[in-house]
């Protein structure tokens, strides 16, 4: 599988002339124009793990706690908390002056309802609520957790900055079932969403929320500290064509391109009025996720046989080329270099690739020619790249492949369909997970065995769930690491998903932008020089 071809020279100029949308110049002190890696198709951060939705959610909503750059939980919407009864009672007090975008005050019962909705979907949240005996709002300012057993990671759970984010919304919206999207974007974050200006597939608009009260004192660090909006208006411009986005950045028609094509980064780096930097410092990790509720991947032996055919080197060649500065490998279940990374079970991924042996294992596992629908998001280059490689592997293995090339927004909507293939279901799709999401069992949504309660993949595996529950109760880091190694070995054995490797995606922005935070794309604090 060869790396994608980049349009260059006159061809690129022609493509840009044809595809470039009509944009006005971005050089404005009050407006920031941003190009996300994909269109914002889903707005509710509790129904999808899509990163573009997570980034949107961090603008519109706020959380009770934030994480600083050292990944320590710090009070955000709360003024503070107290712990009583040997860790069984937690009292959280909201700080003064919190308002929703509709002008109503943020009350403790809003937070209670929001957390209960989140806890039904999120991996960390479900672990927290398994320890909760009762969560109430005895007053408008106080949340009261009564626990069955101590859960010292409670602030870390409520500070989670990655999908699913424990955002706080009005109680009336939080009452919507977690499998059903809310119809209004009413949060209490530093920016409000301007729904009437939305153009699906093209434009999303945010305005500074004048009623937002930042935390007093301290410094902004990742999602902790004061969140001060420096721009009156932020526009998200969806530009699927890379050459068009690059041209718009060079001309100043946009300010910030979240994920420029890796092939274009060297040229952008040489331009004095553009900066190229790593914003997501934990990297991005590729995954091919499998639908474990439908044939053929309802058979773990078949899932594992396909996993043994994955070549992470080939995957990352297609995504990022051979530059060792922006790619890593091999990559298991937990983030390479992180505290939970290990070699457990890795021979399935690191041994010599032998497609003939994988094909024999597939046949021995009982594959009988069932159709395999692979959903490929073509407008996200890294996703398109791993899907192309995976499609090639599937054909060589003799799978009855239906390769569905479509936009990423459509993929995100279709993977929610749990019906059979002939009713619009699916078998596989490609996705990238941030390294932050795979640091530990607390965050890692794809390393679960909780069936239909989990993310689209829906693996049911009691051993993984039992090991994960033990991890939360482990007394120290070595015990956590030993259990994480067992989780990794089991996840690879049953083919929970197919790890594709890790790379580090640069971001590019105009050099007059300053005070940019790192960790994730964040829109508070950043300002324009002069």
């Amino acid at each position: 599988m060869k790396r994608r071809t980049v349009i260059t020279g006159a061809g690129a100029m022609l493509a840009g002339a044809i595809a470039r949308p009509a944009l006005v110049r971005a050089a404005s002190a009050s407006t920031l124009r941003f190009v996300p890696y994909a269109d914002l198709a889903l707005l509710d951060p509790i129904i999808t793990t899509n990163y573009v939705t997570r980034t949107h959610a961090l603008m519109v909503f706020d959380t009770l706690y934030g994480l600083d750059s050292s990944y320590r939980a710090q009070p955000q919407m709360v003024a503070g908390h107290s712990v009583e009864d040997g860790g069984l009672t937690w009292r959280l007090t909201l700080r003064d002056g919190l308002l929703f975008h509709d002008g109503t005050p943020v009350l403790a019962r809003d937070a209670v309802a929001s957390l209960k909705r989140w806890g039904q979907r999120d991996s960390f949240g479900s672990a927290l609520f398994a320890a909760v005996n009762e969560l109430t709002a005895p007053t408008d300012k106080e949340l009261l957790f009564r626990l069955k057993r101590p859960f010292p990671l409670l602030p870390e759970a409520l500070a989670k900055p990655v999908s699913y984010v424990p955002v706080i919304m009005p109680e009336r919206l939080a009452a919507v079932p977690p499998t059903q999207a809310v119809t209004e974007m009413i949060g209490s974050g530093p920016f409000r969403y301007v729904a009437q200006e939305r153009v699906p597939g093209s434009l999303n608009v945010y305005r500074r929320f004048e009623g937002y009260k930042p935390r007093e004192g301290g410094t902004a660090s990742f999602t902790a500290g004061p969140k001060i909006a420096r721009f009156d208006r932020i526009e998200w411009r969806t530009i699927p064509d890379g050459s068009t986005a690059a041209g718009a950045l060079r001309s100043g028609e946009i300010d910030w391109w979240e994920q420029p094509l890796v092939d274009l980064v060297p040229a952008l780096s040489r331009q004095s009025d553009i900066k190229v930097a790593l914003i997501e410092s934990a990297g991005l990790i590729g995954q091919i996720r499998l639908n474990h509720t439908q044939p053929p991947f309802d058979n773990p032996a078949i899932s594992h046989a396909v996993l043994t055919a994955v070549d992470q080197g080939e995957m990352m060649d297609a995504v990022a080329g051979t530059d060792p500065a922006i790619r890593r490998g091999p990559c298991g279940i937990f983030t390479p270099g992180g505290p939970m990374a290990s070699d457990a079970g890795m021979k399935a991924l690191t041994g010599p690739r032998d497609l003939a042996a994988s094909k024999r294992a597939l046949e021995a596992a009982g594959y009988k020619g069932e159709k395999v629908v692979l959903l490929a998001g073509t407008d996200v280059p890294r996703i398109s790249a791993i899907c192309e490689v995976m499609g090639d592997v599937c054909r060589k293995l003799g799978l009855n492949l239906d390769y569905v090339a479509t936009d990423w927004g459509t993929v995100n909507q279709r993977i929610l369909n749990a019906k059979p293939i002939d009713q619009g279901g699916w078998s596989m799709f490609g996705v990238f997970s941030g390294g932050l999401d795979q640091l530990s069992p607390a965050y890692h949504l794809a390393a679960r065995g909780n069936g239909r309660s989990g993310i689209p993949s829906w693996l049911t595996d009691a051993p993984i769930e039992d090991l994960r529950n033990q991890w939360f109760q482990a007394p120290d880091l070595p015990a956590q690491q030993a259990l994480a190694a067992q989780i990794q070995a089991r996840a690879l054995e049953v083919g929970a998903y197919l790890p594709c490797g890790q790379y580090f995606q640069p971001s590019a922005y105009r050099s007059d932008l300053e005070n940019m935070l790192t960790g994730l794309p964040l829109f508070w604090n950043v300002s324009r020089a002069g």
Side-chain angles (χ1 to χ4, degrees):
M1 179 62 59
K2 294 186 179 295
R3 201 169 175 212
R4 61 182 177 275
T5 301
V6 179
I7 302 175
T8 58
M13 295 173 59
L14 178 60
I18 294 172
R20 179 169 298 172
L23 301 179
V24 296
R25 188 168 181 79
S28 165
S30 62
T31 299
L32 173 69
R33 292 189 171 90
F34 171 75
V35 176
Y37 78 89
D39 184 48
L40 179 63
L42 299 170
L43 300 176
D44 184 347
I46 304 302
I47 67 163
T48 178
T49 59
N50 193 351
Y51 286 166
V52 73
T53 304
R54 171 215 62 198
T55 303
H56 149 85
L58 291 174
M59 297 177 69
V60 174
F61 299 97
D62 214 344
T63 54
L64 297 180
Y65 294 81
L67 283 189
D68 63 22
S69 58
S70 297
Y71 306 133
R72 294 175 300 212
Q74 305 289 350
Q76 186 52 237
M77 293 178 73
V78 299
H81 67 255
S82 63
V83 184
E84 307 163 11
D85 303 327
L88 296 180
T89 300
W90 289 67
R91 298 180 187 273
L92 281 56
T93 303
L94 296 177
R95 58 186 173 91
D96 296 331
L98 300 178
L99 292 176
F100 285 118
H101 297 160
D102 61 4
T104 60
V106 177
L107 303 178
R109 64 173 179 265
D110 299 308
V112 167
S114 297
L115 294 180
K116 287 181 177 179
R117 183 173 189 255
W118 162 75
Q120 296 177 64
R121 295 284 284 175
D122 183 68
S123 178
F124 209 166
S126 67
L128 168 60
F129 275 90
V132 171
N133 187 45
E134 185 181 34
L135 171 58
T136 60
T139 71
D140 285 347
K141 297 292 291 294
E142 185 181 65
L143 287 78
L144 180 62
F145 283 86
R146 296 191 185 278
L147 305 181
K148 304 171 187 174
R149 58 182 180 273
F151 196 91
L153 294 176
L154 187 148
E156 283 76 13
L158 304 186
K160 186 171 184 279
V162 292
S163 308
Y164 301 97
V165 183
V167 299
I168 304 303
M169 59 181 62
E171 182 182 28
R172 62 184 177 82
L173 297 180
V176 174
T179 54
Q180 177 182 330
V182 297
T183 57
E184 298 176 75
M185 286 293 102
I186 304 296
S188 63
F191 297 94
R192 59 182 180 85
Y193 184 66
V194 186
Q196 61 268 30
E197 293 195 51
R198 183 185 187 194
V199 180
S202 177
L203 175 68
N204 289 279
V205 175
Y206 305 81
R207 287 192 177 276
R208 175 164 52 188
F209 177 40
E210 298 294 343
Y212 183 74
K213 184 178 180 181
R215 276 198 79 82
E216 296 180 359
T219 58
S221 176
F222 197 21
T223 60
K227 297 179 178 179
I228 300 175
R230 307 288 187 185
F231 286 94
D232 294 333
R233 177 182 173 93
I234 293 180
E235 297 177 359
W236 284 23
R237 297 278 183 171
T238 303
I239 306 179
D241 180 75
S243 61
T244 301
L249 182 63
R250 290 190 182 99
S251 68
E253 295 170 2
I254 62 171
D255 296 296
W256 183 2
W257 186 9
E258 181 184 8
Q259 295 183 6
L261 299 180
V262 173
D263 300 301
L264 300 180
V265 166
L268 293 173
S269 299
R270 291 191 293 269
Q271 191 158 332
S272 61
D273 53 359
I274 292 175
K275 291 183 179 179
V276 175
L278 294 178
I279 299 298
E280 295 202 38
S281 51
L284 293 165
I285 298 173
Q287 302 175 6
I288 298 293
R289 292 196 188 153
L290 310 176
N291 185 343
H292 293 280
T293 67
Q294 305 286 344
F297 300 121
D298 56 348
N299 180 342
I302 290 178
S303 301
H304 181 78
V306 175
L307 180 146
T308 64
V310 172
D311 186 334
Q312 291 191 358
E314 186 179 11
M315 289 282 191
M316 289 300 101
D317 283 349
V319 171
T322 58
D323 184 354
I326 61 172
R327 57 181 287 180
R328 298 288 186 276
C331 181
I333 297 298
F334 299 108
T335 306
M340 299 300 144
S342 74
D343 294 330
M346 288 291 286
K347 285 186 179 180
L349 290 169
T350 59
R353 301 295 86 183
D354 186 340
L355 284 173
S358 296
K359 188 171 183 179
R360 290 193 298 271
L362 190 63
E363 293 170 352
Y367 178 65
K368 303 211 173 7
E370 296 96 338
K371 180 182 286 189
V372 172
V373 175
L374 171 54
L375 305 179
T378 57
D379 55 338
V380 183
R382 64 174 183 269
I383 293 176
S384 179
I386 63 171
C387 287
E388 287 181 9
V389 175
M390 193 68 236
D392 189 52
V393 170
C394 288
R395 296 181 189 98
K396 290 176 179 176
L397 288 175
L399 294 177
N400 179 15
L401 182 67
D402 181 5
Y403 190 91
V404 179
T406 185
D407 65 277
W408 181 233
T410 298
V411 172
N412 272 276
Q413 293 170 5
R414 183 164 174 179
I415 61 175
L416 299 177
N417 185 349
K419 294 180 181 179
I421 296 298
D422 59 2
Q423 297 179 45
W426 56 277
S427 308
M428 317 170 81
F429 72 97
V431 67
F432 271 77
S433 174
L436 287 173
D437 294 82
Q438 297 188 201
L439 280 175
S440 79
Y443 280 14
H444 202 336
L445 298 176
R448 294 292 307 271
N450 58 336
R452 289 294 175 87
S453 297
I455 60 172
S457 185
W458 305 307
L459 172 67
T460 298
D461 190 79
I464 287 179
E465 289 298 290
D466 180 59
L467 289 165
R468 180 176 173 275
N469 291 335
Q470 292 180 53
W471 185 90
F472 279 105
Q473 299 178 48
D476 52 32
L477 180 59
Q480 288 182 331
Q481 291 172 327
L483 287 162
Q486 293 180 61
I487 292 172
Q488 173 164 291
R490 178 64 182 177
L492 294 174
E493 178 187 350
V494 299
Y497 64 90
L498 315 182
C500 300
Q502 180 190 33
Y503 87 108
F504 294 81
Q505 170 66 56
S507 193
Y509 53 90
R510 300 289 298 180
S511 59
D512 62 350
L513 294 184
E514 56 187 15
N515 303 315
M516 184 100 50
L517 296 171
T518 60
L520 293 172
L522 302 171
F523 291 84
W524 54 87
N525 203 51
V526 61
S527 60
R528 195 184 303 280

